[in-house]
């Protein structure tokens, strides 16, 4: 984050012909040298390599008849869906439903002719039996998964027996360890650091990350939305604030490198085609309110609360208005925030998410909102994606679907947010207000390049998703079978590293005057009001007739 | 007290703090949380989350099992719209 930010040089100016001062950069490393040594570029290379391999495995590993298998599976889903409806419908409606789905009985396809020859009770029992058979065959639905999936995983969920978390996932965890160790050792060596020092330290850091995953995998901990980031941070903090972080671990404590690599991997999950999943109402709720709240909260923090650290102000604003921890990570990296600022933002977000997850469904029920409006409100306001789903499910399936989809659309906003914040930061915040304008080359020099990788991966995989035959299945298999897992490990390693580098005393000044808390509360209040108004307008007034979840 | 003694006491305190915190966390994770998970109300809630395919600690939509079902449903509807 802030460790690599170049600082502007006030003497670094030249007067242009139009009498306006434009900064010109001093001699800087060539692009080639920058690309072969800088952390930002290496994050792009590492994540790009992982994505290329993951996609190649999925692409070359697909069965020859994938299209046929998927078509048969969809037909099976149609039958199952119609059958499930049949079980719950009055007998008089069943023939039409079954015919529509092309369901065949032992007598042949259900048609008007057969209904004439069967008695009502015969028909009822026949169709019900077929319907139940069809529902049972749902498990046979085909889903293409990456061949890499068994070799890449993280400790799973456990309730009573702690060993449940690793009994079925230890090979996948070992696989992740080997992949990251090999890749980062190579990257370190190429960047002029010691691969052997990294390889000596990395097993211990990875072990701490595994411990954090294990802690977050306990069912009760998961149910309260206490994400692995929190435990990774805690594990690192405990060591650094008791016995101290041993020096030999330092070569593997690479917070920024892990975060940037994880973010470029995350880019592949930011699929633009998901944007219209709920049509225009979803876009308005998620993409209109969110930037307004983000900008207003940032402005409020600067002008009213006068928060000294602009990066802390921005990270809290993005974390609260976009989608919690993932947005905080992306924005913190884009605006080069301090590690303690990211930790504080995440702590605030998780604390409020636990409260909102429990309180909001009760408020919605008490106010008598319908599930669609309630779901949209939840999706646009609760920070964490998992907590949105949990709160939505309390209100029913409709609310769950709308809430989760609105949140997903907001998730996609991460890429745009990170890009815009990075541009704003290098153009306005890092510039001396009384100094001259900075030129394009200076903006390029200061711009965090990994954000380009993040956006590029988002565009590339959105294109592949939409344009390839069976693109959605291939990209989903790639994400679900490998890149999502690796991205999670990179973030977990990053938070362990933050903990190992942080002293509790460094966190305390950030809480000075309770301003971050006030900022969060005010921003979230605005978010609650604006999202409710917009959700009501979109789902109940403007598009009331067209919205069907 | 010599510097050596002072340093030894300080490092002993640090190791003691680490052992104390680790012991406390071990009790919470290995005893209290599993016991809480066994409470009928909590057990019911955990089963409900499992049935719904919801992981409340999911950080991104791709980590949410229920989202796969929702997206699959939406994709099926889209395919039906394109080729009814």
């Amino acid at each position: 984050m802030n460790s690599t930010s170049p600082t502007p040089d006030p003497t670094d100016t030249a007067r242009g012909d139009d009498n306006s001062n434009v900064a010109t950069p001093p001699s800087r490393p060539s692009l080639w040298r920058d690309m072969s040594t800088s952390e930002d570029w290496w994050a792009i290379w590492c994540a790009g390599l992982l994505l290329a391999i993951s996609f190649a495995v999925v692409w070359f590993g697909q069965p020859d008849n994938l299209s046929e298998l998927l078509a048969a599976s969809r037909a099976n889903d149609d039958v199952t869906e119609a059958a499930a409806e049949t079980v719950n419908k009055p007998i008089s409606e069943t023939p039409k439903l079954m015919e529509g789905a092309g369901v065949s009985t032992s007598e042949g396809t259900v048609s008007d002719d057969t209904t004439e020859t069967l008695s009502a009770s015969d028909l009822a029992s026949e169709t019900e039996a077929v319907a139940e058979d069809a529902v049972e065959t749902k498990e046979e639905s085909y889903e293409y998964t990456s061949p890499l999936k068994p070799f890449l995983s993280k400790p799973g969920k456990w309730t009573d027996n702690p060993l449940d978390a690793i009994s079925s996932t230890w090979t996948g965890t070992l696989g992740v360890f080997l992949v990251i160790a090999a890749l980062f050792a190579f990257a370190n060596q190429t960047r002029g650091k010691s691969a052997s020092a990294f390889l000596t330290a990395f097993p211990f850091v990875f072990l701490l990350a595994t411990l954090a995953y294990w802690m977050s995998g306990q069912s009760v901990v998961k149910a309260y939305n206490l994400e692995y980031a929190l435990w990774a941070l805690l594990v690192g903090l405990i060591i650094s604030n008791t016995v101290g972080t041993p020096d030999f671990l330092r070569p593997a404590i690479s917070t920024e490198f892990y975060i940037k690599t994880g973010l470029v991997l995350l880019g592949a999950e930011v699929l633009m085609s998901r944007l219209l999943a709920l049509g225009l109402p979803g876009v308005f709720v998620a993409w209109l309110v969110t930037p307004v709240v983000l900008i207003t909260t940032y402005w409020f923090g600067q002008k009213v609360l006068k928060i000294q650290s602009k990066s802390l102000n921005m990270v809290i604003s993005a974390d609260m208005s976009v989608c919690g921890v993932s947005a905080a990570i992306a924005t913190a990296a884009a605006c080069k925030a301090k590690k303690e600022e990211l930790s504080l933002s995440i702590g605030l977000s998780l604390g409020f998410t636990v409260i909102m997850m429990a309180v909001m469904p009760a408020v919605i029920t008490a106010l008598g909102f319908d599930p669609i409006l309630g779901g949209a409100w939840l999706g646009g306001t609760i920070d964490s994606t998992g907590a949105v789903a949990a709160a939505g499910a309390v209100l029913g399936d409709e609310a769950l679907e709308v809430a989760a989809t609105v949140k997903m659309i907001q998730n996609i906003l991460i890429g745009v947010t990170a890009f815009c914040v990075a541009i704003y930061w290098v153009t306005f915040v890092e510039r001396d207000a009384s100094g001259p304008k900075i030129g394009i080359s200076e903006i390029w020099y200061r711009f965090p390049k990994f954000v380009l990788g993040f956006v590029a991966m988002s565009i590339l995989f959105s294109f592949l998703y939409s344009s390839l035959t069976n693109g959605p299945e291939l990209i989903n298999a790639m994400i679900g079978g490998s890149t999502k897992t690796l991205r999670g490990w990179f973030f977990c390693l990053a938070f362990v590293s933050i903990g190992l580098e942080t002293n509790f005393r460094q966190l305390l000044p950030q809480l000075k005057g309770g301003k971050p808390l006030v900022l969060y509360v005010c921003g979230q209040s605005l978010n609650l009001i604006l999202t409710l108004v917009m959700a009501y307008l979109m789902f109940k007034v403007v598009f009331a007739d067209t919205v069907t979840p | 007290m010599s510097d050596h003694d002072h340093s030894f006491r300080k490092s002993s305190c640090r190791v003691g703090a680490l052992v104390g915190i680790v012991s406390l966390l071990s009790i919470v994770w290995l005893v209290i949380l599993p016991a809480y998970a066994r409470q009928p109300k909590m057990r019911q809630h955990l089963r409900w989350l499992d049935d719904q395919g919801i992981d409340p600690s999911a950080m991104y939509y791709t980590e949410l099992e229920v989202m796969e079902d929702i997206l699959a449903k939406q994709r099926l509807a889209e395919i039906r719209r394109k080729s009814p």
Side-chain angles (χ1 to χ4, degrees):
Chain A
M1 280 163 274
N2 64 343
S3 63
T4 55
S5 61
T7 48
D9 181 356
T11 63
D12 176 28
T13 59
R15 190 167 291 278
D17 293 340
D18 59 350
N19 285 342
S20 63
N21 285 337
V22 176
T24 53
S27 63
R28 281 171 179 154
S30 66
L31 181 63
W32 169 249
R33 185 166 167 70
D34 197 30
M35 289 171 91
S36 57
T37 56
S38 85
E39 192 176 73
D40 277 34
W41 282 108
W42 267 97
I44 297 176
W45 306 143
C46 290
L49 180 67
L50 291 173
L51 285 165
I53 293 171
S54 301
F55 183 73
V57 168
V58 166
W59 177 259
F60 292 110
Q62 63 178 308
D64 294 336
N65 59 342
L66 180 62
S67 296
E68 288 81 24
L69 287 168
L70 292 168
S73 179
R74 277 173 206 136
N76 185 35
D77 286 348
D78 279 351
V79 172
T80 311
E81 200 177 298
E85 284 176 29
T86 305
V87 173
N88 300 318
K89 290 274 180 182
I91 293 168
S92 59
E93 291 180 32
T94 54
K96 204 176 278 182
L97 273 167
M98 302 301 274
E99 186 188 18
V103 174
S104 297
T105 67
S106 55
E107 311 286 325
T109 304
V110 174
S111 67
D112 290 341
D113 296 339
T114 53
T115 53
E116 281 167 16
T117 55
L118 290 169
S119 70
S121 62
D122 284 347
L123 180 65
S125 56
E126 183 84 7
T127 49
E128 245 177 64
V130 172
E132 277 160 15
D133 282 350
V135 171
E136 279 166 20
T137 58
K138 191 179 189 319
E139 287 164 18
E140 291 167 18
S141 287
Y142 179 77
E143 189 191 356
Y144 179 48
T145 52
S146 168
L148 287 174
K149 194 168 187 175
F151 307 105
L152 300 170
S153 61
K154 60 180 184 179
K157 195 167 80 165
W158 63 279
T159 305
D160 287 316
N161 182 1
L163 295 177
D164 289 348
I166 47 170
S167 59
S168 60
T169 57
W170 69 269
T171 45
T173 303
L174 186 64
V176 170
F177 169 75
L178 293 173
V179 167
I180 299 178
L183 188 66
F184 270 49
F186 175 72
N188 274 310
Q189 190 68 34
T190 314
R191 293 178 59 218
K193 296 180 176 181
S194 165
S196 59
F198 173 80
L199 288 172
T200 307
F202 185 67
F204 294 93
V205 178
F206 190 84
L207 202 63
L208 294 176
T210 309
L211 177 64
Y213 260 137
W214 174 82
M215 290 170 82
S216 70
Q218 211 286 332
S219 297
V220 176
V221 172
K222 279 177 106 63
Y224 282 99
N225 172 53
L226 300 171
E227 299 173 18
Y228 63 82
L230 188 69
W231 308 115
L233 198 60
L234 181 75
V235 164
L237 279 170
I238 289 171
I239 291 176
S240 62
N241 287 274
T242 53
V243 291
T245 304
D247 284 339
F248 84 94
L249 285 185
R250 306 239 172 241
I253 299 174
S254 311
T255 305
E256 281 100 22
F257 199 11
Y258 293 132
I259 283 190
K260 289 169 184 173
T261 309
L263 281 171
V264 179
L265 283 175
L266 180 67
E269 297 173 52
V270 181
L271 300 170
M272 296 300 174
S273 56
R274 308 270 203 235
L275 190 62
L276 290 172
L278 267 182
L280 277 179
V283 175
F284 272 101
V285 172
W287 277 54
L288 189 66
V289 175
T290 306
V292 170
V293 173
L294 194 158
I295 293 165
T296 311
T297 309
Y298 179 71
W299 175 88
F300 182 78
Q302 290 301 292
K303 302 293 177 191
V304 181
L305 295 178
K306 301 198 185 304
I307 291 177
Q308 245 182 349
S309 167
K310 290 183 176 180
S311 49
L312 174 65
N313 191 352
M314 179 55 84
V315 177
I316 293 177
S317 306
D319 171 328
M320 178 274 302
S321 59
V322 186
C323 54
V325 176
S326 45
I329 295 171
T331 316
C335 71
K336 299 152 190 166
K338 291 176 191 160
K339 291 181 278 287
E340 305 82 66
E341 294 172 346
L342 175 59
S343 308
L344 176 66
S345 304
I346 287 173
L348 270 175
S349 171
L350 292 180
F352 275 91
T353 299
V354 173
I355 297 168
M356 288 174 74
M357 181 173 72
V359 171
M360 283 192 71
V363 171
I364 289 168
T365 308
L367 294 175
F369 291 167
D370 74 46
I372 293 178
L373 178 61
W377 198 29
L378 289 173
T381 51
I382 297 180
D383 292 349
S384 158
T385 306
V388 164
V394 172
L395 301 175
D397 288 346
E398 266 188 336
L400 166 63
E401 189 170 332
V402 174
T405 311
V406 167
K407 196 72 217 171
M408 178 187 72
I409 300 170
Q410 249 187 2
N411 280 175
I412 296 163
L413 198 58
I414 289 183
V416 180
T417 307
F419 186 78
C420 293
V421 167
I423 290 277
Y424 175 71
W425 229 252
V426 296
T427 314
F428 296 103
V429 178
E430 287 178 348
R431 184 171 76 97
D432 180 2
S434 59
K437 283 190 293 186
I438 58 171
I440 295 288
S441 64
E442 183 66 13
I443 291 174
W444 166 253
Y445 175 68
R446 294 181 188 182
F447 191 83
K449 309 296 185 303
F450 78 93
V451 176
L452 295 179
F454 179 39
V455 174
M457 293 307 157
S458 171
I459 293 170
L460 173 66
F461 283 94
S462 297
F463 174 73
L464 293 175
Y465 183 94
S466 309
S467 61
L468 287 178
T469 308
N470 303 318
E473 285 75 19
L474 293 171
I475 300 300
N476 287 342
M478 181 197 80
I479 293 170
S482 51
T483 62
K484 177 180 73 173
T485 310
L486 289 166
R487 184 256 300 161
W489 275 105
F490 280 118
F491 285 165
C492 193
L493 287 163
F495 282 102
V496 169
S497 300
I498 291 176
L500 287 171
E501 288 181 302
T502 306
N503 191 303
F504 277 127
R505 278 191 291 269
Q506 290 172 288
L507 283 173
L508 295 176
Q510 307 295 338
L511 297 165
K512 199 178 172 185
K515 284 183 181 178
L517 184 67
V518 176
L519 179 71
Y520 190 97
V521 171
C522 293
Q524 190 61 273
S525 304
L526 176 70
N527 195 18
L528 283 164
I529 294 165
L530 284 187
T531 305
L532 180 59
V533 171
M534 186 59 79
Y536 180 78
L537 283 176
M538 291 298 123
F539 288 96
K540 294 288 129 196
V541 180
V542 183
F543 298 100
D545 299 331
T546 55
V547 174
T548 48
Chain B
M1 196 192 302
S2 70
D3 283 353
H4 181 264
D5 287 342
H6 181 70
S7 166
F8 179 73
R9 276 175 66 92
K10 204 172 166 184
S11 64
S12 298
C13 279
R14 285 165 174 254
V15 172
L18 177 64
V19 171
I21 293 171
V22 170
S23 306
L24 186 71
L25 290 177
S26 302
I27 292 168
V28 171
W29 257 263
L30 299 175
V31 180
I32 297 174
L33 289 173
Y36 186 40
R38 282 192 293 271
Q39 297 297 309
K41 203 173 172 184
M42 194 63 206
R43 198 163 48 192
Q44 197 184 352
H45 180 63
L46 295 177
R47 197 179 303 131
W48 175 77
L49 287 172
D50 278 346
D51 292 345
Q52 296 278 336
I54 293 171
D55 172 7
S57 68
M59 189 188 279
Y60 203 66
Y61 78 91
T62 46
E63 296 169 23
L64 210 51
E65 197 186 319
V66 70
M67 204 64 226
E68 289 172 20
D69 296 338
I70 293 170
L71 289 170
K73 190 177 152 188
Q74 288 172 355
R75 179 156 161 71
L76 200 60
E78 188 190 323
I79 289 168
R80 278 181 192 156
R81 268 199 305 275
K82 282 181 185 168
S83 53

